[in-house]
């Protein structure tokens, strides 16, 4: 990756973080929990894919309609996250495949 690519990536990340900080406090808390959960076992393409910005888009729409964050996702944040990534290869899947196991077995 070039220096210009790194700089552009940092700008995009800072803009993303600013959008998260503009959300109401309850949305910010849930977003951070989702982010932590996804970074621990989420999809391989998490850092450069559309998932995190898509969550912020979804949350901004929820705020605009006056809904609480739990009205949007339910009370089980992990289950919501798992549903978001159900058809996406994860690091756990890659590891399972590397050791000769069945892909997707880590989530069963």
């Amino acid at each position: 990756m070039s220096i210009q690519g790194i700089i552009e990536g940092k700008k995009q990340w800072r803009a993303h973080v600013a959008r998260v900080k503009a959300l109401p406090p309850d949305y910010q808390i849930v977003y951070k929990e989702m982010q932590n959960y996804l970074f621990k076992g989420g999809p391989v393409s998490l850092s450069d894919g559309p998932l995190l910005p898509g969550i912020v888009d979804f949350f901004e729409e929820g705020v605009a309609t006056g809904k609480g964050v739990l009205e949007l996702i339910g009370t089980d944040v992990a289950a919501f996250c798992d549903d978001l990534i159900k058809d996406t290869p994860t690091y756990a899947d890659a590891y399972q495949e590397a050791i000769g196991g069945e892909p997707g077995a880590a989530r069963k």
Side-chain angles (χ1 to χ4, degrees), residues 15 44 85:
V44 175
I85 63 170

Side-chain angles (χ1 to χ4, degrees), residues 56-70:
V56 177
D57 292 341
F58 180 61
F59 281 5
E60 287 172 340
E61 290 172 19
V63 170
T65 60
K67 292 185 177 181
V69 68
L70 297 182

Side-chain angles (χ1 to χ4, degrees), residues 8-31:
E8 186 59 34
K10 285 188 176 202
K11 285 180 184 177
Q12 289 175 357
W13 182 252
R14 286 184 186 126
H16 175 80
V17 170
R19 287 178 64 201
V20 172
K21 288 182 178 180
L23 293 169
D26 57 335
Y27 277 83
Q28 288 182 43
I29 290 167
V30 171
Y31 175 84

